[in-house]
Every structure is written in C-alpha cells, then in structure tokens.
Amino acid sequence: MKIGELAEISGFSTKTLRFYESIGLMPAANREANGYRSYQDDSLRRLAFISNAQSAGLSLKEIGEILAIRSSGVTPCEHVYQLLLAHRESIEAKIAELEDLQSELASLISYAESFSPESCDDGQVCSILSRKPNSVKFAKFQH
Amino acid sequence: MKIGELAEISGFSTKTLRFYESIGLMPAANREANGYRSYQDDSLRRLAFISNAQSAGLSLKEIGEILAIRSSGVTPCEHVYQLLLAHRESIEAKIAELEDLQSELASLISYAESFSPESCDDGQVCSILSRKPNSVKFAKFQH
DNA sequence: CTTGACATTCCAGCTTAGTGGAAGGTGTAC
DNA sequence: GTACACCTTCCACTAAGCTGGAATGTCAAG
C-alpha cells in the first residue's frame, strides 16, 4: 500500500504520515524500488492506536512512549494507566481553572450590562475590565 | 523610571516589557540621553490594564485592539462587552469538550482497573486504549 | 581601573501538531 | 509526448507568549 492509500484509509494526511515517521512515531517505512513508501496492515493498526490514544487526549510524545514500551516487549498497561490518571488530574485542574475564569467573565459581563459608557473614566482604558484590582502593586494606579 | 523598576513594580519581566513594546502593545518608550527607556506612571496604568484583561482571559491581540480603540478616542465598552460574550461562549465550549474527555478518561480508567495484563492481546499496542473502535475505516484492524 | 549591576539590540528557541509550497522524480493513460 | 496524479525531500511557517543568550554599552562605587 502506498502512502496515499494509507492516508485515505486512516484519515491521516500524507503530510501527517510523513511527519509521524519523521518524529519516530511511525517506523521508517519500507521502500519500493522507486523509492515510494510501502505499507502493510500493521501500519494501519498502529495508526488506529494513535488515533485512539489521541482521542483519549494523549500527546504524540506520550503515545510514542507507549509504543516504545510496547516494542520493547513489555506490556504498557501500567504506564498507560498512570498516564490516564495523570491526565484525569490535569484535565480536572484545567476544568476548574476554566470554571473560575467563567465566573470571572460572568461577573464582568453582568457588570458591563449594568454599565453606562458615559460613566467611563478617562483616566483608564476600560472601566469594565479595570473593576478589580489584581495586585497590590497596581493598586494606586487603578482608581 | 527605568525598565527594571517598571518590571519590579508591574511584575512583568524586562524581557516581557520589551516584547510588549515590540508587538505594539506598549507604545515605544521615551529614551534618556543614554538610550535607556524612560517610563512614566501611565505605563504602569496601561500594564495594570493589560494584567486585568489577561486575567479575564483575553489574548494580547484582543487587548491590543481594546487599547487601539481607546486611543482612537472611542470608549471600547461595546467592543469589550462583545469580546467578553464571545469568550464566555468559547470557554463554555472548551469546558464541555474537557468534560467529554474526562468521562472518556474515566471509562478508560475503570476499564484499566478491571483489567489484567495477562489478557493483553499481542496483536495490538494496548488493550486499554484500543477498546473503542474510533472509526469505521479502522474497524477491521482493531480486534 | 575594575567590578558589578544595570541597560541596549538582535537572533534563536520553546511548546504542539501539523500545513504549505517549491523543485523534482515516477507511473499510467490518451 | 504530454498531461496528470502521485510520489520524493527539504525548508519555512502557523498560533501565543514569551524566554535565553550573545555581544555590547552605561553608570556608580571602591
């Protein structure tokens, strides 16, 4: 199978497939006499795995590590499990962060809605965004 | 005030201050006879605004636009309000996305916990991550 | 006179996951 | 023989927000 077919079937672009090879995520493909890459079904299986792992939110680097463990003959189960736990943690943290941001935004928005532009203070850029002092150091510069 | 002092007070590094100037977020600073940048309190006010706007999740580009509107003499209230609404939307979407990912992770993790490595299939990279077929095209390569 | 802390410019690199495009070789059909 | 699709390599570039470092200049103290 040539790279175009593999791309077609796998859903990865030919660019991406070459890129994956270049970063070692895919092994160097066998070449035909004319220099074209030649793939077997195992490439497709590997790409299926990459695709699965990506949709679990793993980075290419992490996926590469799993693949490396696997090809060293060890089952990567424990490593994968630890990765998943770590990801759950970091996603949890990101969600919390975004929710904080969301409530900050909500408060700014409701302030903006109760706000008349006429009351803008010329001494600052934006009364809506400058409502809260965000550091002691800045305090005296935010009236 | 020299750049080091401004950095100290504002909490932005000197690198960052020069960077902000280079991208037009801060105006070109006045120079002393020796070529050193010389700042007044208005720089501090502008940085306070930037800091506030950043903590509202706005990008430097968006902050720059607000500053540009402001310096064109128009009050940026409406623009800021629209930006905040748009951000609320996109944060909402991001949270939803992360929550989907989180439930996906949770299901993979609980599968992993009920899983014995002995049952690993040698034909695939990882039974945990390969549990769900993620595309029809891949179906026949994931047993 | 030298040391040290500051300042200047400019160029490079980081992160991630690719994409775009140029210049050229290959293979098949008309 | 020429069009056209496909393949090759390589280099540059994207977003965002900086950070590091080199080479050099300035200024005050001892």
Side-chain angles (χ1 to χ4, degrees):
Chain A
M1 169 169 35
K2 284 187 291 181
I3 198 170
E5 300 167 72
L6 184 64
E8 177 64 23
I9 300 176
S10 69
F12 291 99
S13 73
T14 58
K15 281 280 190 193
T16 299
L17 294 175
R18 290 194 200 95
F19 170 68
Y20 283 179
E21 182 177 320
S22 79
I23 61 171
L25 194 57
M26 291 296 286
N30 294 329
R31 301 301 179 117
E32 288 170 28
N34 57 15
Y36 288 12
R37 287 174 180 80
S38 171
Y39 296 95
Q40 268 66 48
D41 281 3
D42 61 329
S43 296
L44 223 20
R45 248 172 271 124
R46 195 171 173 112
L47 288 170
F49 168 73
I50 292 172
S51 179
N52 270 319
Q54 272 192 313
S55 70
L58 302 189
S59 69
L60 296 185
K61 193 179 166 209
E62 290 166 330
I63 297 169
E65 283 165 15
I66 297 170
L67 288 164
I69 290 172
R70 184 67 192 192
S71 62
S72 78
V74 179
T75 53
C77 306
E78 182 58 24
H79 184 72
V80 167
Y81 178 60
Q82 294 302 330
L83 266 181
L84 293 176
L85 289 181
H87 265 262
R88 182 167 61 178
E89 290 266 315
S90 81
I91 301 300
E92 197 61 50
K94 250 177 227 157
I95 289 175
E97 205 178 299
L98 288 179
E99 277 170 349
D100 284 355
L101 183 52
Q102 200 67 317
S103 74
E104 173 70 7
L105 280 174
S107 113
L108 291 174
I109 286 170
S110 78
Y111 178 65
E113 281 167 350
S114 72
F115 183 78
S116 55
E118 296 73 35
S119 64
C120 265
D121 178 349
D122 280 341
Q124 58 183 213
V125 179
C126 173
S127 303
I128 300 168
L129 289 171
S130 303
R131 206 155 67 96
K132 296 189 181 176
N134 64 340
S135 118
V136 177
K137 302 197 170 183
F138 279 134
K140 57 180 284 207
F141 304 98
Q142 300 181 315
H143 344 253
Chain B
M1 171 168 34
K2 284 187 292 182
I3 198 170
E5 300 168 72
L6 184 64
E8 176 65 23
I9 300 175
S10 68
F12 291 100
S13 72
T14 58
K15 280 282 190 192
T16 300
L17 294 175
R18 291 193 198 95
F19 170 69
Y20 282 179
E21 182 178 319
S22 80
I23 61 170
L25 194 58
M26 291 296 285
N30 294 330
R31 300 301 178 116
E32 288 170 28
N34 57 15
Y36 287 13
R37 287 174 180 79
S38 170
Y39 296 96
Q40 267 68 49
D41 281 2
D42 62 328
S43 294
L44 224 19
R45 249 173 271 124
R46 195 171 172 112
L47 288 170
F49 168 73
I50 291 172
S51 178
N52 269 319
Q54 273 192 311
S55 69
L58 302 188
S59 68
L60 296 185
K61 194 178 166 208
E62 290 167 328
I63 296 169
E65 283 166 15
I66 297 171
L67 287 165
I69 291 172
R70 183 67 191 193
S71 62
S72 78
V74 180
T75 53
C77 308
E78 181 58 23
H79 184 71
V80 167
Y81 178 60
Q82 294 303 329
L83 267 181
L84 293 176
L85 289 181
H87 266 262
R88 181 167 61 178
E89 291 265 316
S90 79
I91 301 301
E92 197 61 48
K94 250 176 229 158
I95 289 174
E97 206 177 295
L98 288 179
E99 278 171 348
D100 283 356
L101 182 52
Q102 200 67 317
S103 73
E104 173 70 7
L105 280 174
S107 113
L108 290 174
I109 286 169
S110 78
Y111 178 65
E113 283 166 350
S114 71
F115 183 78
S116 57
E118 296 73 36
S119 65
C120 264
D121 178 348
D122 279 342
Q124 59 183 212
V125 178
C126 173
S127 303
I128 301 169
L129 289 170
S130 303
R131 206 158 65 97
K132 295 187 181 177
N134 64 342
S135 118
V136 178
K137 301 196 170 182
F138 279 133
K140 58 180 281 209
F141 303 100
Q142 300 180 312
H143 348 250

PDB file of all heavy atoms in Angstrom, chain A residues 79-100:
ATOM      1  N   HIS A  79       1.928   1.677  32.648  1.00  0.00           N
ATOM      2  CA  HIS A  79       2.316   3.007  32.197  1.00  0.00           C
ATOM      3  C   HIS A  79       1.106   3.772  31.666  1.00  0.00           C
ATOM      4  O   HIS A  79       0.891   4.938  31.993  1.00  0.00           O
ATOM      5  CB  HIS A  79       3.380   2.873  31.107  1.00  0.00           C
ATOM      6  CG  HIS A  79       3.942   4.173  30.629  1.00  0.00           C
ATOM      7  ND1 HIS A  79       4.788   4.945  31.393  1.00  0.00           N
ATOM      8  CD2 HIS A  79       3.765   4.850  29.471  1.00  0.00           C
ATOM      9  CE1 HIS A  79       5.118   6.031  30.717  1.00  0.00           C
ATOM     10  NE2 HIS A  79       4.514   6.001  29.552  1.00  0.00           N
ATOM     11  N   VAL A  80       0.320   3.089  30.871  1.00  0.00           N
ATOM     12  CA  VAL A  80      -0.881   3.703  30.300  1.00  0.00           C
ATOM     13  C   VAL A  80      -1.837   4.107  31.416  1.00  0.00           C
ATOM     14  O   VAL A  80      -2.383   5.215  31.411  1.00  0.00           O
ATOM     15  CB  VAL A  80      -1.578   2.721  29.331  1.00  0.00           C
ATOM     16  CG1 VAL A  80      -2.977   3.200  28.985  1.00  0.00           C
ATOM     17  CG2 VAL A  80      -0.735   2.554  28.069  1.00  0.00           C
ATOM     18  N   TYR A  81      -1.985   3.222  32.367  1.00  0.00           N
ATOM     19  CA  TYR A  81      -2.882   3.501  33.487  1.00  0.00           C
ATOM     20  C   TYR A  81      -2.426   4.749  34.241  1.00  0.00           C
ATOM     21  O   TYR A  81      -3.223   5.650  34.532  1.00  0.00           O
ATOM     22  CB  TYR A  81      -2.922   2.289  34.425  1.00  0.00           C
ATOM     23  CG  TYR A  81      -3.770   2.483  35.645  1.00  0.00           C
ATOM     24  CD1 TYR A  81      -5.140   2.753  35.522  1.00  0.00           C
ATOM     25  CD2 TYR A  81      -3.219   2.408  36.919  1.00  0.00           C
ATOM     26  CE1 TYR A  81      -5.929   2.936  36.656  1.00  0.00           C
ATOM     27  CE2 TYR A  81      -3.999   2.585  38.052  1.00  0.00           C
ATOM     28  CZ  TYR A  81      -5.358   2.849  37.919  1.00  0.00           C
ATOM     29  OH  TYR A  81      -6.128   3.038  39.024  1.00  0.00           O
ATOM     30  N   GLN A  82      -1.127   4.844  34.512  1.00  0.00           N
ATOM     31  CA  GLN A  82      -0.601   6.015  35.209  1.00  0.00           C
ATOM     32  C   GLN A  82      -0.785   7.288  34.384  1.00  0.00           C
ATOM     33  O   GLN A  82      -1.129   8.340  34.912  1.00  0.00           O
ATOM     34  CB  GLN A  82       0.887   5.819  35.556  1.00  0.00           C
ATOM     35  CG  GLN A  82       1.158   4.717  36.575  1.00  0.00           C
ATOM     36  CD  GLN A  82       0.424   4.932  37.903  1.00  0.00           C
ATOM     37  OE1 GLN A  82       0.181   6.071  38.311  1.00  0.00           O
ATOM     38  NE2 GLN A  82       0.044   3.834  38.563  1.00  0.00           N
ATOM     39  N   LEU A  83      -0.569   7.147  33.094  1.00  0.00           N
ATOM     40  CA  LEU A  83      -0.775   8.288  32.197  1.00  0.00           C
ATOM     41  C   LEU A  83      -2.219   8.766  32.256  1.00  0.00           C
ATOM     42  O   LEU A  83      -2.499   9.963  32.323  1.00  0.00           O
ATOM     43  CB  LEU A  83      -0.474   7.896  30.762  1.00  0.00           C
ATOM     44  CG  LEU A  83       0.919   8.160  30.230  1.00  0.00           C
ATOM     45  CD1 LEU A  83       0.993   7.714  28.770  1.00  0.00           C
ATOM     46  CD2 LEU A  83       1.258   9.635  30.330  1.00  0.00           C
ATOM     47  N   LEU A  84      -3.117   7.807  32.231  1.00  0.00           N
ATOM     48  CA  LEU A  84      -4.539   8.158  32.248  1.00  0.00           C
ATOM     49  C   LEU A  84      -4.911   8.860  33.541  1.00  0.00           C
ATOM     50  O   LEU A  84      -5.634   9.854  33.542  1.00  0.00           O
ATOM     51  CB  LEU A  84      -5.394   6.906  32.044  1.00  0.00           C
ATOM     52  CG  LEU A  84      -5.297   6.247  30.661  1.00  0.00           C
ATOM     53  CD1 LEU A  84      -6.125   4.966  30.625  1.00  0.00           C
ATOM     54  CD2 LEU A  84      -5.755   7.190  29.558  1.00  0.00           C
ATOM     55  N   LEU A  85      -4.366   8.354  34.641  1.00  0.00           N
ATOM     56  CA  LEU A  85      -4.632   9.006  35.930  1.00  0.00           C
ATOM     57  C   LEU A  85      -4.096  10.433  35.944  1.00  0.00           C
ATOM     58  O   LEU A  85      -4.785  11.361  36.371  1.00  0.00           O
ATOM     59  CB  LEU A  85      -3.977   8.212  37.073  1.00  0.00           C
ATOM     60  CG  LEU A  85      -4.587   6.863  37.436  1.00  0.00           C
ATOM     61  CD1 LEU A  85      -3.816   6.237  38.594  1.00  0.00           C
ATOM     62  CD2 LEU A  85      -6.073   7.014  37.801  1.00  0.00           C
ATOM     63  N   ALA A  86      -2.880  10.577  35.452  1.00  0.00           N
ATOM     64  CA  ALA A  86      -2.272  11.914  35.427  1.00  0.00           C
ATOM     65  C   ALA A  86      -3.092  12.862  34.550  1.00  0.00           C
ATOM     66  O   ALA A  86      -3.297  14.027  34.889  1.00  0.00           O
ATOM     67  CB  ALA A  86      -0.836  11.823  34.938  1.00  0.00           C
ATOM     68  N   HIS A  87      -3.565  12.322  33.446  1.00  0.00           N
ATOM     69  CA  HIS A  87      -4.377  13.148  32.563  1.00  0.00           C
ATOM     70  C   HIS A  87      -5.683  13.559  33.209  1.00  0.00           C
ATOM     71  O   HIS A  87      -6.119  14.687  33.068  1.00  0.00           O
ATOM     72  CB  HIS A  87      -4.642  12.421  31.252  1.00  0.00           C
ATOM     73  CG  HIS A  87      -3.676  12.799  30.210  1.00  0.00           C
ATOM     74  ND1 HIS A  87      -3.938  13.733  29.244  1.00  0.00           N
ATOM     75  CD2 HIS A  87      -2.393  12.409  30.011  1.00  0.00           C
ATOM     76  CE1 HIS A  87      -2.883  13.889  28.489  1.00  0.00           C
ATOM     77  NE2 HIS A  87      -1.929  13.093  28.933  1.00  0.00           N
ATOM     78  N   ARG A  88      -6.270  12.616  33.895  1.00  0.00           N
ATOM     79  CA  ARG A  88      -7.523  12.943  34.567  1.00  0.00           C
ATOM     80  C   ARG A  88      -7.303  14.104  35.537  1.00  0.00           C
ATOM     81  O   ARG A  88      -8.086  15.048  35.568  1.00  0.00           O
ATOM     82  CB  ARG A  88      -8.060  11.725  35.316  1.00  0.00           C
ATOM     83  CG  ARG A  88      -9.402  12.022  35.984  1.00  0.00           C
ATOM     84  CD  ARG A  88     -10.088  10.773  36.456  1.00  0.00           C
ATOM     85  NE  ARG A  88      -9.294  10.056  37.456  1.00  0.00           N
ATOM     86  CZ  ARG A  88      -9.698   8.933  38.058  1.00  0.00           C
ATOM     87  NH1 ARG A  88     -10.875   8.399  37.749  1.00  0.00           N
ATOM     88  NH2 ARG A  88      -8.939   8.342  38.937  1.00  0.00           N
ATOM     89  N   GLU A  89      -6.199  14.028  36.261  1.00  0.00           N
ATOM     90  CA  GLU A  89      -5.849  15.110  37.184  1.00  0.00           C
ATOM     91  C   GLU A  89      -5.717  16.438  36.462  1.00  0.00           C
ATOM     92  O   GLU A  89      -6.269  17.448  36.887  1.00  0.00           O
ATOM     93  CB  GLU A  89      -4.490  14.821  37.834  1.00  0.00           C
ATOM     94  CG  GLU A  89      -4.477  13.701  38.811  1.00  0.00           C
ATOM     95  CD  GLU A  89      -4.667  14.179  40.244  1.00  0.00           C
ATOM     96  OE1 GLU A  89      -4.014  15.175  40.610  1.00  0.00           O
ATOM     97  OE2 GLU A  89      -5.465  13.552  40.967  1.00  0.00           O
ATOM     98  N   SER A  90      -4.954  16.427  35.385  1.00  0.00           N
ATOM     99  CA  SER A  90      -4.660  17.705  34.753  1.00  0.00           C
ATOM    100  C   SER A  90      -5.885  18.265  34.040  1.00  0.00           C
ATOM    101  O   SER A  90      -6.081  19.475  33.983  1.00  0.00           O
ATOM    102  CB  SER A  90      -3.441  17.608  33.845  1.00  0.00           C
ATOM    103  OG  SER A  90      -3.806  17.067  32.612  1.00  0.00           O
ATOM    104  N   ILE A  91      -6.712  17.374  33.528  1.00  0.00           N
ATOM    105  CA  ILE A  91      -7.957  17.838  32.905  1.00  0.00           C
ATOM    106  C   ILE A  91      -8.870  18.429  33.976  1.00  0.00           C
ATOM    107  O   ILE A  91      -9.487  19.482  33.781  1.00  0.00           O
ATOM    108  CB  ILE A  91      -8.692  16.681  32.191  1.00  0.00           C
ATOM    109  CG1 ILE A  91      -7.823  16.057  31.105  1.00  0.00           C
ATOM    110  CG2 ILE A  91      -9.999  17.180  31.591  1.00  0.00           C
ATOM    111  CD1 ILE A  91      -7.396  16.978  30.022  1.00  0.00           C
ATOM    112  N   GLU A  92      -8.901  17.745  35.095  1.00  0.00           N
ATOM    113  CA  GLU A  92      -9.680  18.238  36.231  1.00  0.00           C
ATOM    114  C   GLU A  92      -9.253  19.663  36.592  1.00  0.00           C
ATOM    115  O   GLU A  92     -10.078  20.567  36.771  1.00  0.00           O
ATOM    116  CB  GLU A  92      -9.450  17.305  37.435  1.00  0.00           C
ATOM    117  CG  GLU A  92     -10.470  17.431  38.531  1.00  0.00           C
ATOM    118  CD  GLU A  92     -11.865  17.093  38.047  1.00  0.00           C
ATOM    119  OE1 GLU A  92     -12.029  16.028  37.414  1.00  0.00           O
ATOM    120  OE2 GLU A  92     -12.788  17.910  38.282  1.00  0.00           O
ATOM    121  N   ALA A  93      -7.940  19.841  36.666  1.00  0.00           N
ATOM    122  CA  ALA A  93      -7.400  21.153  37.025  1.00  0.00           C
ATOM    123  C   ALA A  93      -7.742  22.198  35.976  1.00  0.00           C
ATOM    124  O   ALA A  93      -8.085  23.333  36.296  1.00  0.00           O
ATOM    125  CB  ALA A  93      -5.887  21.053  37.213  1.00  0.00           C
ATOM    126  N   LYS A  94      -7.654  21.790  34.719  1.00  0.00           N
ATOM    127  CA  LYS A  94      -7.962  22.727  33.642  1.00  0.00           C
ATOM    128  C   LYS A  94      -9.419  23.145  33.686  1.00  0.00           C
ATOM    129  O   LYS A  94      -9.761  24.311  33.475  1.00  0.00           O
ATOM    130  CB  LYS A  94      -7.641  22.088  32.288  1.00  0.00           C
ATOM    131  CG  LYS A  94      -6.426  22.709  31.606  1.00  0.00           C
ATOM    132  CD  LYS A  94      -6.113  21.974  30.299  1.00  0.00           C
ATOM    133  CE  LYS A  94      -4.642  21.661  30.224  1.00  0.00           C
ATOM    134  NZ  LYS A  94      -4.327  20.531  29.321  1.00  0.00           N
ATOM    135  N   ILE A  95     -10.279  22.173  33.946  1.00  0.00           N
ATOM    136  CA  ILE A  95     -11.709  22.482  34.034  1.00  0.00           C
ATOM    137  C   ILE A  95     -11.957  23.469  35.173  1.00  0.00           C
ATOM    138  O   ILE A  95     -12.675  24.462  35.004  1.00  0.00           O
ATOM    139  CB  ILE A  95     -12.529  21.194  34.234  1.00  0.00           C
ATOM    140  CG1 ILE A  95     -12.523  20.366  32.947  1.00  0.00           C
ATOM    141  CG2 ILE A  95     -13.968  21.535  34.624  1.00  0.00           C
ATOM    142  CD1 ILE A  95     -13.203  19.003  33.070  1.00  0.00           C
ATOM    143  N   ALA A  96     -11.321  23.208  36.296  1.00  0.00           N
ATOM    144  CA  ALA A  96     -11.504  24.097  37.446  1.00  0.00           C
ATOM    145  C   ALA A  96     -11.052  25.517  37.109  1.00  0.00           C
ATOM    146  O   ALA A  96     -11.725  26.496  37.437  1.00  0.00           O
ATOM    147  CB  ALA A  96     -10.724  23.561  38.642  1.00  0.00           C
ATOM    148  N   GLU A  97      -9.934  25.577  36.415  1.00  0.00           N
ATOM    149  CA  GLU A  97      -9.386  26.871  36.009  1.00  0.00           C
ATOM    150  C   GLU A  97     -10.360  27.601  35.080  1.00  0.00           C
ATOM    151  O   GLU A  97     -10.647  28.787  35.257  1.00  0.00           O
ATOM    152  CB  GLU A  97      -8.080  26.592  35.270  1.00  0.00           C
ATOM    153  CG  GLU A  97      -7.067  27.694  35.252  1.00  0.00           C
ATOM    154  CD  GLU A  97      -5.826  27.199  34.502  1.00  0.00           C
ATOM    155  OE1 GLU A  97      -5.194  26.206  34.959  1.00  0.00           O
ATOM    156  OE2 GLU A  97      -5.524  27.771  33.448  1.00  0.00           O
ATOM    157  N   LEU A  98     -10.873  26.874  34.131  1.00  0.00           N
ATOM    158  CA  LEU A  98     -11.806  27.479  33.184  1.00  0.00           C
ATOM    159  C   LEU A  98     -13.100  27.888  33.875  1.00  0.00           C
ATOM    160  O   LEU A  98     -13.711  28.900  33.520  1.00  0.00           O
ATOM    161  CB  LEU A  98     -12.104  26.514  32.033  1.00  0.00           C
ATOM    162  CG  LEU A  98     -10.962  26.312  31.049  1.00  0.00           C
ATOM    163  CD1 LEU A  98     -11.354  25.323  29.962  1.00  0.00           C
ATOM    164  CD2 LEU A  98     -10.554  27.635  30.416  1.00  0.00           C
ATOM    165  N   GLU A  99     -13.485  27.131  34.875  1.00  0.00           N
ATOM    166  CA  GLU A  99     -14.708  27.496  35.582  1.00  0.00           C
ATOM    167  C   GLU A  99     -14.519  28.760  36.413  1.00  0.00           C
ATOM    168  O   GLU A  99     -15.421  29.591  36.504  1.00  0.00           O
ATOM    169  CB  GLU A  99     -15.212  26.320  36.424  1.00  0.00           C
ATOM    170  CG  GLU A  99     -16.018  25.365  35.554  1.00  0.00           C
ATOM    171  CD  GLU A  99     -16.364  24.056  36.240  1.00  0.00           C
ATOM    172  OE1 GLU A  99     -15.811  23.771  37.326  1.00  0.00           O
ATOM    173  OE2 GLU A  99     -17.183  23.310  35.664  1.00  0.00           O
ATOM    174  N   ASP A 100     -13.336  28.894  36.966  1.00  0.00           N
ATOM    175  CA  ASP A 100     -13.017  30.145  37.650  1.00  0.00           C
ATOM    176  C   ASP A 100     -13.089  31.312  36.669  1.00  0.00           C
ATOM    177  O   ASP A 100     -13.674  32.358  36.958  1.00  0.00           O
ATOM    178  CB  ASP A 100     -11.597  30.097  38.238  1.00  0.00           C
ATOM    179  CG  ASP A 100     -11.535  29.250  39.498  1.00  0.00           C
ATOM    180  OD1 ASP A 100     -12.606  28.798  39.953  1.00  0.00           O
ATOM    181  OD2 ASP A 100     -10.428  29.033  40.008  1.00  0.00           O
TER     182      ASP A 100
END
